[in-house]
């Protein structure tokens, strides 16, 4: 009755009432979107619920335009409208190109999953060639100590504590990689990525049993023919996409050969890395409700190295040392990965209710094989006035041998669903996973110092280290989750609640786990520039193969690897409090983010880090905590170009056998900067800078623990810069002919490690006959230059 009276009143006044809700492509309300009447000065903004209401003079034709920064405009034409009128459009994300500058909306984050725009990084220097990880490692709370690797640590966690999903399917990384030289291409193809979300902790129950982070990737579904081609001194890539409406396909091929970069390492010789990757994403949509998709990946990473010599100078100006080695032998490694997944999705309605059935298979075939013989001299060097002082500290030989073969097959089937009920969105899922693991490993090291083998036993030749492993295992894992997201809008502001629980069971150790998790987000009505969030829960690290291997001895006294069937999942209780403040400075948008967190750790499996290799004890024997604070300021420091600065402080502690020590990932401070700029007088030239300064990690001698002794590596410091020139692009391309089909063509020059800083990745330990050990640093890559060409069409 009231609505009828209002409609009559408006009609008598010659007014048309228009109202509705503006949502994004995922049916999330868009706050502060603009609704305007074309040809007039009338307009309003949507509220925190995405709702709007406007009254306009009655006309035969009314054009209503809906717009929001970062989304394509939507226009609706009303012909002889009768009040009231309801218009609830859906806006899709877009990229506004101003000489290849992307303008995006700085969304308010009300949960622990943040959106990452990787487009800004596609023209920035990357020593590893991995676009997504290159951006991730500059986020607050994230660190990487090796520019050749795609692996990263998050808030005191290890490389193994990070979950990675592509199109909702968990993917894995090789297990035997021990340094950046061996590591090839990341499983994530940056040219195929459409959306990236990332959480540094406090993530929802839908994500698997990992303790540190979640990286959730969504691949593109092309709307028409598109592609990109890039080539550089490190390799190249080609991506092609095509769509007919109901059928779309995207294929990506990458090749990497970074032998020139490896040549800057101090170990000289013949480097022959060959890294190849092919990926495909195919979708078929017979109807608007039903879709079938296929995701496939073949990765062939081969690494060969024939060392010749190495000369390393280290120490201080008053205590300088020199380490010289002549090598004989060769290393040959292979990491072959095959992955495939088939998904079927059915949408019941437009309110978010759907069901997805997924079957996937993953296989990794890894071989690390080397026989390296070396003769070394360790000398003391220095000067005092004009008189040279020094002496021989050690001379000897060594031989390192490995034949490590690992095959892992992971098969999984899952069913996931969503139910949209007014303000609630209920998600649920169940998964069955079958793991088959085959390992045959043999390693030993022989050392000779001053003519004596170590350890020195008269009339015997002994090795200083040996290990053999022969294990076959077949296990099953079952997991399930349910969670609810509820949105509440009051006069005080907008609230978002998420609560869920995850259950998992592993038949290897007969362990059942229950993991409750929650998050609360709040945007106040009085000052919607603020967004606050609180998250927490009980998180487990379900052991994978490396974590439950124990070094033991057989009946003959030989060192062997056995499996610990009493292993338990490591546990972490997360509490995270954070917030954002959006503001404008210099008439440009900015956002300041701050988060404080605490993790209580128990059932820990002690480990040590050497470069990228994690050596676990295989026993739950320690506990500890991680606490810290992260800051990030994000915005347009230069108009039209997004940049950010992140700063982190952290403290960790682990108690091993009653001794309190920092975790191996105890990075007490970190500063990262990601900066892009356009030259005012030369808008076709883009400048990019990526810089990191982070504290050194605790380390110890081989086959020792931090409870015995440890020291810190030097701080990691690196600056990479790049210049890109727009050869062809928006406003700078012909209207017809061959080149009119290209979106852009860029030519770039990169300088990796611009300041030529010698960063330490690990240490080579030299032991003399007196059992005195010397830590000789293994340095990472030095300054290198790269030329690249990127074409988008």
């Amino acid at each position: 009755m009231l609505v009828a009276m209002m409609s009559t009143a408006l009609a008598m006044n010659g007014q048309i009432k228009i109202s509705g809700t503006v949502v994004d492509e995922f049916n999330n309300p868009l706050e502060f979107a603009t609704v305007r009447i074309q040809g007039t000065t009338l307009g309003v903004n949507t509220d925190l619920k995405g709702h709007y209401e406007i009254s306009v003079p009655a006309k035969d034709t009314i054009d209503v335009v809906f717009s929001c920064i970062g989304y394509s405009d939507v226009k609706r034409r009303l012909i002889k409208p009768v009040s009231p009128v309801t218009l609830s459009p859906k806006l899709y994300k877009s990229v506004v190109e101003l000489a290849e500058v992307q303008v995006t909306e700085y969304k308010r984050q009300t949960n622990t999953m943040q959106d990452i725009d990787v487009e800004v990084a596609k023209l920035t220097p990357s020593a590893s060639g991995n676009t997504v990880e290159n951006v991730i490692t500059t986020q607050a709370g994230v660190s990487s100590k090796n520019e050749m690797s795609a692996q990263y640590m998050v808030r005191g966690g290890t490389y193994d504590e990070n979950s990675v999903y592509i199109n909702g399917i968990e993917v894995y990384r090789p297990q035997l990689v021990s340094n950046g030289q061996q590591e090839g291409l990341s499983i994530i193809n940056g040219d195929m990525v459409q959306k990236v979300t990332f959480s540094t902790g406090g993530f929802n129950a839908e994500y698997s049993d990992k303790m540190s982070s979640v990286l959730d990737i969504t691949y593109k579904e092309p709307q028409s023919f598109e592609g990109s081609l890039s080539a550089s001194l490190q390799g190249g890539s080609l991506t092609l996409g095509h769509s007919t409406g109901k059928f779309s396909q995207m294929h990506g091929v990458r090749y990497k050969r970074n032998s020139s970069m490896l040549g800057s390492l101090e170990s000289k010789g013949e480097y022959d890395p060959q890294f190849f990757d092919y990926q495909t994403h195919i979708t078929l949509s017979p109807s608007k409700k039903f879709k079938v998709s296929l995701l496939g990946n073949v990765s062939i990473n081969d690494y060969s190295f024939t060392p010749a010599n190495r000369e390393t100078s280290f120490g201080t100006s008053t205590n300088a040392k020199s380490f010289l080695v002549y090598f004989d032998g060769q290393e040959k490694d292979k990491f072959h990965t095959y992955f495939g997944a088939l998904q079927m999705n059915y949408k019941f309605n437009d309110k978010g209710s759907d069901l997805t059935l997924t079957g996937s298979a993953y296989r990794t075939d890894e071989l690390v094989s080397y026989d390296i013989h070396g003769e070394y001299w360790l000398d003391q060097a220095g000067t005092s006035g004009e008189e040279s002082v020094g002496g021989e500290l050690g001379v000897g030989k060594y031989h390192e041998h490995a034949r490590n073969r690992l095959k892992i097959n992971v098969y999984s089937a899952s069913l996931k669903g969503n139910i949209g009920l007014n303000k609630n969105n209920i998600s649920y899922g169940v998964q069955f996973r079958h793991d088959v693991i085959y390992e045959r490993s043999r390693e030993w090291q022989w050392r000779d110092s001053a003519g004596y083998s170590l350890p020195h036993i008269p009339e015997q030749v002994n090795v200083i280290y040996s290990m053999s492993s022969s294990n076959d295992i077949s296990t099953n894992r079952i997991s399930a989750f349910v969670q609810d997201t509820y949105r509440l809008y009051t006069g005080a502001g907008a609230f978002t609640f998420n609560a869920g629980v995850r259950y998992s069971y592993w038949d290897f150790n007969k362990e059942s786990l229950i993991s409750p998790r929650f998050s609360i987000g709040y945007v106040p009505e009085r000052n919607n520039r603020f967004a606050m969030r609180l998250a927490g829960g009980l998180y487990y690290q379900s052991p994978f193969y490396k974590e439950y291997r124990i070094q033991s001895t057989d009946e003959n006294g030989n060192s062997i690897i056995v499996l610990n069937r009493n292993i338990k999942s490591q546990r972490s209780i997360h509490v995270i409090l954070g917030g954002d403040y959006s503001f404008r400075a210099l008439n440009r948008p900015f956002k300041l983010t701050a988060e404080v967190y605490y993790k209580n750790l128990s059932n820990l499996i002690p480990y040590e880090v050497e470069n990228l290799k994690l050596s676990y004890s295989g026993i739950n024997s320690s506990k500890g905590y991680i606490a810290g604070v992260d800051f990030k300021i994000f915005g347009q420091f230069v108009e039209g170009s997004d940049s950010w600065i992140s700063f982190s402080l952290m403290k960790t502690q682990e108690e091993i056998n009653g001794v309190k020590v920092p975790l191996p990932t105890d990075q007490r401070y970190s500063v990262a900067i990601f900066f892009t700029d356009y030259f005012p007088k030369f808008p076709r030239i883009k400048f990019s800078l990526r810089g990191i300064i982070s504290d050194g990690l605790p380390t110890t001698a081989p086959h020792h623990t931090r409870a015995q002794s440890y020291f810190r590596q030097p701080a990691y410091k690196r600056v990479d810069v790049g210049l890109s020139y727009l050869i062809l692009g928006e406003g700078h391309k012909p209207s017809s002919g061959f080149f009119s089909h290209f979106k852009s063509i860029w030519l770039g020059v990169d300088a990796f490690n611009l300041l030529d800083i010698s960063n330490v990745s690990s240490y080579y330990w030299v032991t003399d006959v007196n059992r005195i050990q010397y830590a000789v640093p293994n340095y990472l890559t030095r300054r290198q230059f790269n030329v690249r060409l990127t074409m988008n069409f």
Side-chain angles (χ1 to χ4, degrees):
M1 181 72 178
L2 180 61
V3 173
M5 293 174 62
M6 292 177 61
S7 300
T8 303
L10 287 169
M12 292 177 62
N13 293 327
Q15 296 286 311
I16 303 294
K17 176 187 174 184
I18 305 172
S19 62
T21 303
V22 181
V23 298
D24 64 11
E25 55 194 302
F26 304 106
N27 293 315
N28 298 316
L30 285 177
E31 65 268 26
F32 314 116
T34 300
V35 183
R36 61 183 176 87
I37 308 302
Q38 186 170 300
T40 73
T41 59
L42 297 175
V44 296
N45 290 328
T46 59
D47 60 18
L48 293 173
K49 306 175 186 179
H51 183 74
Y52 73 94
E53 184 177 309
I54 186 172
S55 296
V56 301
K59 294 173 58 178
D60 289 340
T61 302
I62 299 176
D63 291 325
V64 186
V65 179
F66 302 87
S67 62
C68 186
I69 298 176
Y71 294 83
S72 297
D73 292 357
V74 172
K75 181 179 178 180
R76 295 286 186 267
R77 172 164 290 184
L78 304 177
I79 306 296
K80 296 182 178 180
V82 177
S83 185
V85 177
T86 300
L87 293 178
S88 296
K90 182 178 293 187
L91 272 58
Y92 293 86
K93 280 195 172 183
S94 68
V95 175
V96 181
E97 294 190 354
L98 300 173
E100 288 294 327
V101 178
Q102 293 188 339
V103 181
T104 58
E105 182 190 28
Y106 300 158
K107 292 183 62 177
R108 287 153 184 80
Q109 182 184 339
T110 55
N111 57 30
T112 59
M113 297 296 292
Q114 58 177 312
D115 292 333
I116 304 293
D117 184 6
V118 297
E119 290 293 327
V120 299
K122 288 190 173 180
L123 294 176
T124 58
S126 172
S128 65
N130 300 310
T131 304
V132 174
E133 292 86 353
N134 198 42
V135 176
I136 293 296
T137 53
T138 61
Q139 304 300 310
V142 186
S143 66
S144 173
K145 298 293 186 180
N146 194 318
E147 62 272 4
M148 295 180 288
S149 172
Q151 300 181 39
Y152 50 87
M153 300 173 291
V154 178
R155 289 180 173 172
T158 72
Y159 306 123
D160 294 331
E161 295 178 15
N162 306 312
S163 293
V164 179
Y165 289 82
I166 298 179
N167 290 356
I169 305 161
E170 188 172 11
V171 295
Y172 310 93
R173 66 181 185 87
Q175 298 291 302
L176 296 183
V177 169
S178 60
N179 56 63
Q181 296 92 300
Q182 298 171 321
E183 187 174 327
L185 293 157
S186 161
I187 193 172
I188 303 170
N189 187 330
D191 294 331
M192 299 176 67
V193 170
Q194 174 180 325
K195 183 181 180 182
V196 177
T197 56
F198 181 65
S199 173
T200 52
F203 39 87
N204 297 339
E206 65 183 295
Y207 296 110
S208 69
D209 295 312
K210 295 291 180 70
M211 292 199 304
S212 288
S213 74
V214 169
L215 177 60
D216 198 345
I217 306 291
T218 302
Y219 273 1
K220 296 177 183 176
E221 293 183 18
Q223 303 301 312
S224 60
F225 178 76
E226 63 179 74
S228 65
L229 174 66
S230 64
S232 73
L233 299 180
Q234 297 188 89
S237 65
L238 172 65
T239 303
L240 294 173
H242 177 258
S243 176
T244 61
K246 293 185 176 182
F247 176 80
S248 69
Q249 56 182 324
M250 177 159 281
H251 306 273
V253 177
R254 294 179 294 168
Y255 176 76
K256 177 180 173 182
R257 181 178 170 82
N258 59 342
S259 53
S260 61
M261 176 170 289
L262 298 180
S264 69
L265 298 173
E266 292 196 322
S267 292
K268 304 302 180 183
E270 183 180 344
Y271 289 92
D272 186 20
Q274 303 279 348
F275 305 133
F276 170 82
D277 173 88
Y278 166 74
Q279 296 192 35
T280 182
H281 180 215
I282 300 173
T283 60
L284 175 64
S285 303
S287 66
K288 292 184 177 180
K289 293 188 174 183
F290 183 65
K291 181 172 71 174
V292 180
S293 62
L294 173 68
L295 181 66
N297 169 239
V298 176
S299 179
I300 307 296
N301 296 326
D302 294 329
Y303 172 76
S304 177
F305 175 46
T306 303
N309 62 78
R310 165 185 174 169
E311 185 170 3
T312 303
S313 298
F314 62 101
T316 64
S317 59
T318 57
N319 187 20
K321 296 180 178 66
S322 175
F323 181 63
L324 175 65
V325 189
Y326 290 101
F327 296 106
D328 185 24
Q330 189 179 39
E331 177 179 359
K332 281 194 173 184
D333 308 327
K334 74 171 186 177
F335 304 92
H336 296 181
T337 301
Y338 310 90
F339 172 73
L342 181 67
Q343 283 186 324
M344 291 179 286
N345 174 265
Y346 183 79
K347 292 184 178 180
F348 294 99
N349 52 48
D350 293 332
K351 296 182 180 180
S353 298
D354 67 350
L355 197 64
T356 302
L357 177 65
T358 304
S360 67
Y362 167 86
R363 175 182 174 84
T364 180
D365 186 356
E366 305 176 28
L367 172 65
V368 174
S369 171
Y370 56 81
D371 272 292
I372 305 293
H373 181 82
E375 297 185 14
Y376 67 85
W377 291 262
L378 179 64
D379 298 323
Q380 183 81 45
T383 58
S384 178
E386 297 180 356
E387 181 182 356
S388 176
V389 295
E392 190 176 86
L393 296 176
V395 58
K397 302 177 182 179
Y398 68 87
H399 191 109
E400 297 180 345
H401 167 91
R403 294 291 186 274
N404 298 335
R405 169 61 68 96
L406 179 66
K407 297 180 181 179
I408 299 178
N409 295 294
V410 179
Y411 309 96
S412 68
S414 67
L415 181 68
K416 293 182 180 180
N418 296 282
I419 301 175
L421 297 173
N422 297 323
K423 297 179 181 180
N424 296 74
N425 184 36
I426 300 173
S427 301
Y428 59 91
V430 60
Q431 182 188 57
F432 172 79
R433 197 179 103 184
H434 179 61
D435 300 345
V436 179
I437 301 174
Y438 166 95
E439 185 201 24
R440 298 292 185 270
S441 298
R442 175 67 175 166
E443 295 180 358
W444 54 262
Q445 296 178 7
W446 171 78
R447 299 283 175 87
D448 178 287
S449 180
Y452 295 93
S453 63
L454 299 177
H456 176 56
I457 301 176
E459 300 180 357
Q460 290 187 20
V461 176
N462 293 276
V463 294
I464 196 170
Y465 162 75
S466 69
M467 182 278 293
S468 67
S469 177
S470 178
N471 290 295
D472 297 279
I473 184 172
S474 177
T475 68
N476 300 305
R477 302 175 190 256
I478 298 174
S479 62
F481 77 91
V482 60
Q483 66 180 31
D484 181 26
T485 302
Y486 175 74
R487 293 181 174 86
L488 175 64
Y489 303 96
T490 69
F495 293 86
T496 302
F497 302 92
N498 179 277
V501 62
R502 184 176 186 87
Y503 169 81
S504 61
Y505 173 77
W506 188 26
D507 65 0
F508 178 79
N509 61 354
K510 314 299 181 185
E511 182 183 39
S512 294
L513 302 172
I514 296 178
S515 172
R517 308 172 187 180
F518 78 93
S519 67
I520 302 172
Y522 172 59
V523 178
E525 179 71 29
R526 290 189 174 183
N527 192 344
N528 53 43
R529 293 181 179 275
F530 286 96
M532 290 164 276
R533 53 192 173 272
L534 172 68
L538 179 60
Y539 295 83
Y540 290 94
Q541 177 76 17
S542 182
F544 206 43
Y545 185 65
K546 292 188 301 182
E547 293 158 272
Y548 53 90
R549 299 164 76 246
I550 303 178
Q551 190 158 338
S552 182
T553 56
D554 61 13
E555 62 276 8
N556 299 318
N558 298 316
S559 179
I560 61 171
I561 296 295
V562 297
L563 304 181
N564 180 10
R565 290 190 173 270
N566 296 317
I567 197 73
K568 300 298 181 183
S569 296
Q570 301 177 90
R571 187 178 69 187
S572 175
I573 300 175
H574 289 199
V575 179
I576 300 169
L577 177 64
D580 301 335
Y581 176 66
S582 300
F583 63 97
R584 296 188 69 84
L586 304 175
N587 200 29
R588 300 167 196 160
F590 288 88
K591 182 168 74 172
L592 175 65
T593 299
E595 286 191 347
V596 58
Y597 60 90
Y598 176 81
K599 302 180 187 180
N600 182 277
L601 309 175
S602 58
N603 283 344
L604 291 182
I605 306 171
Y607 65 93
E608 302 298 336
V609 178
E610 182 184 357
N611 203 334
L612 301 179
K613 182 180 180 181
L614 303 179
S615 300
Y616 291 91
S617 69
I619 303 174
N620 302 101
S621 59
S622 68
K623 61 182 180 180
Y625 71 85
I626 303 172
V629 59
D630 294 333
F631 298 95
K632 176 183 173 183
I633 182 166
F634 176 91
Q636 295 185 3
F637 294 90
V638 176
E639 186 175 4
S641 184
D642 290 337
S643 304
W644 59 85
I645 301 172
S646 62
F647 173 66
S648 301
L649 294 173
M650 182 178 68
K651 176 177 174 56
T652 73
Q653 181 175 286
E654 182 179 13
E655 185 174 336
I656 306 175
N657 300 325
V659 180
K660 296 180 179 179
V661 294
L663 284 165
T665 52
D666 182 58
Q667 180 178 275
R668 295 172 296 186
Y669 65 86
S670 176
V671 180
I673 179 171
F674 189 96
F675 181 78
T676 57
D677 190 9
Y678 284 82
F679 288 81
K681 295 184 179 180
F682 304 96
R684 297 170 72 172
I685 299 178
K686 180 179 180 180
F687 171 78
S688 303
L689 181 147
R690 179 180 180 273
I692 294 176
I693 302 176
S694 59
D695 189 24
L697 301 180
T699 190
T700 186
H703 320 301
H704 288 69
T705 68
R706 282 159 291 120
Q708 296 170 294
S709 65
Y710 72 89
F711 66 96
R712 284 190 180 270
Q713 297 179 355
Y716 181 86
K717 295 169 283 189
R718 186 177 176 91
V719 175
D720 297 333
V721 299
L723 280 176
S724 300
Y725 177 73
L726 180 65
I727 299 175
L728 183 148
E730 191 71 24
H732 301 282
K733 66 177 182 179
S735 58
S736 61
F738 175 75
F739 288 102
S740 65
H741 300 288
F742 286 84
K743 293 180 181 178
S744 63
I745 299 178
W746 290 87
L747 179 64
V749 177
D750 301 324
F752 302 132
N753 195 0
L754 178 68
L755 304 180
D756 199 27
I757 297 173
S758 298
N759 289 304
V760 176
S761 64
S762 60
Y763 291 89
Y764 182 81
W765 292 84
V766 177
T767 307
D768 65 17
V769 71
N770 298 314
R771 304 287 292 179
I772 298 176
Q773 291 186 311
Y774 299 91
V776 182
N778 296 316
Y779 293 114
L780 290 165
T781 58
R782 303 295 294 270
R783 184 192 294 126
Q784 287 283 297
F785 295 95
N786 182 48
V787 179
R788 52 182 163 78
L789 178 68
T790 304
M791 296 182 286
N792 298 300
F793 49 89

